[in-house]
């Protein structure tokens, strides 16, 4: 019989009391050093075991504080629709984090059909629930589209939507493409979401087109255990059959 890796065995020892309810939500787990001493394993093994419980959604890592048993997370349904390109955040509050202009890099320049290094505007915001970040939104658009106008992400009114802003700059949006996938949370994203790097996240890549030209692309990122995508699509009504003449 094949023996379990030591980190899997240690994760089993910690998982059992959590599932039994002996360690209620909010309970702080022993530190990596203490676990290593108590179970006579290396700190690398205790670290890997804790990360495994994080990926399972049973434990959360709080930077600078430690590992805690997670409460059953609320589920947030993020509405996607074919009739608007609004935030789609539902009951989440949008928190703008700012806009910067930087040279575009791969893979963003590929999504926008640009050359490496062409300037893009990067706009970042978060979706909050009770001041807690749930989603992260980052968008990129070619600076050349609105440079020298009052329609850049810097200059436009906060109430102006993307479609209105680009349309008034001469780039009417007539098509939206979305691709949905799952990957792990990156370090820079984890800092903004207050989560641990490496946990599974749901990613919606949305690109707006004006004709055949991509004019904006974005990533909507949310933890896989808390976020659901709700699609509302309009179906064309079938034409009634013509009467016989």
């Amino acid at each position: 019989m094949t023996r379990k890796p030591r980190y899997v065995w240690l994760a089993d020892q910690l998982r059992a009391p959590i599932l039994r309810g002996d360690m209620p939500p909010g309970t702080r787990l022993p530190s990596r050093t203490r676990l290593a001493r108590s179970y006579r394993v290396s700190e690398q093994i205790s670290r890997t075991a804790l990360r495994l419980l994080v990926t399972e959604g049973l434990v959360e890592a709080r930077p600078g504080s430690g590992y805690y048993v997670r409460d059953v997370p609320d589920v947030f349904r993020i509405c996607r629709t074919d009739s608007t390109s609004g935030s789609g955040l539902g009951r989440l509050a949008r928190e703008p984090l700012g806009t910067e202009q930087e040279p575009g890099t791969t893979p963003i320049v590929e999504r926008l059909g640009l050359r490496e290094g062409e300037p893009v505007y990067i706009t970042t915001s978060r979706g909050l629930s009770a001041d807690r970040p749930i989603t992260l939104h980052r968008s990129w658009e070619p600076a050349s589209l609105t440079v020298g106008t009052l329609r850049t992400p810097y200059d436009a009114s906060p109430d102006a939507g993307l479609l209105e802003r680009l349309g008034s700059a001469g780039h009417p949006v007539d098509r939206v493409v979305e691709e949905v996938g799952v990957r792990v949370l990156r370090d820079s994203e984890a800092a903004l979401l207050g989560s641990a790097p490496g946990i599974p996240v749901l990613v919606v890549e949305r690109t707006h087109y004006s004709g055949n030209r991509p004019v904006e692309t974005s990533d909507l990122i949310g933890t896989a255990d808390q976020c659901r995508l709700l699609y509302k699509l309009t179906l064309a009504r079938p034409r009634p059959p013509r009467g016989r003449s």
Side-chain angles (χ1 to χ4, degrees):
M1 182 176 179
T2 304
R3 294 183 59 185
K4 291 182 179 180
R6 292 291 284 173
Y7 77 91
V8 175
W9 171 83
L10 178 55
D12 290 344
Q13 309 310 304
L14 300 173
R15 186 187 302 106
I18 293 174
L19 296 179
R20 286 198 307 265
D22 297 342
M23 299 173 68
T27 300
R28 183 177 181 180
L29 274 66
S31 67
R32 297 191 299 264
T33 301
R34 186 174 173 186
L35 285 173
R37 291 174 180 171
S38 299
Y39 290 92
R40 298 182 180 180
V41 296
S42 68
E43 285 199 31
Q44 178 61 38
I45 288 175
S46 64
R47 181 185 299 111
T48 306
L50 289 168
R51 287 180 177 173
L52 177 59
L53 296 178
V54 168
T55 62
E56 293 176 358
L58 294 176
V59 169
E60 65 176 335
R62 300 179 186 175
S65 180
Y67 292 85
Y68 293 80
V69 177
R70 289 191 66 182
D71 199 351
V72 177
D74 293 331
V75 172
F76 296 89
R77 289 176 175 81
I78 302 171
C79 185
R80 321 302 290 170
T81 170
D82 64 352
S83 61
T84 180
S85 285
S87 68
L89 291 179
R91 55 195 173 106
L92 298 177
R94 182 176 178 271
E95 179 193 26
L97 297 179
T99 298
E100 299 176 354
Q101 181 177 320
E102 295 181 1
T105 57
T106 305
I108 298 304
V109 291
E110 295 176 351
R111 288 163 59 175
L112 289 173
L114 303 176
R115 293 187 299 272
E116 192 81 14
E118 283 194 61
V120 295
Y121 290 117
I122 305 172
T123 301
T124 305
S125 63
R126 295 189 294 190
L128 306 181
S129 175
D131 295 326
R132 180 178 180 183
I134 304 297
T135 62
L136 176 66
H137 185 266
R138 278 179 170 157
S139 68
W140 300 265
E141 67 178 72
S144 60
L145 295 180
T146 54
V147 65
T149 74
L150 295 179
R151 296 294 183 264
T152 73
Y154 286 118
D155 302 313
S157 166
D159 298 328
L162 173 71
L163 303 190
E164 175 188 351
R165 183 170 60 78
L166 291 181
S168 63
H171 306 284
V173 174
D174 54 21
R175 184 163 56 98
V176 180
V177 176
E178 286 195 345
E179 182 174 330
V180 181
V182 176
R183 61 168 170 79
V184 297
L185 191 64
R186 297 165 183 161
D187 288 348
S188 60
E189 300 162 345
L192 293 173
L193 280 175
S195 298
I199 66 172
V201 288
L202 192 65
V203 181
V204 181
E205 294 183 6
R206 169 181 276 199
T207 302
H208 290 87
Y209 290 83
S210 179
N212 292 323
R213 181 180 185 179
V215 293
E216 189 260 8
T217 192
S218 65
D219 285 351
L220 178 65
I221 302 166
T223 54
D225 61 342
Q226 279 192 286
C227 296
R228 301 290 184 272
L229 300 178
L230 177 62
Y231 282 87
K232 296 182 179 181
L233 306 177
T234 303
L235 300 179
R237 294 183 178 181
R239 295 182 179 181
R242 296 181 178 180
R244 295 182 178 178
S245 57

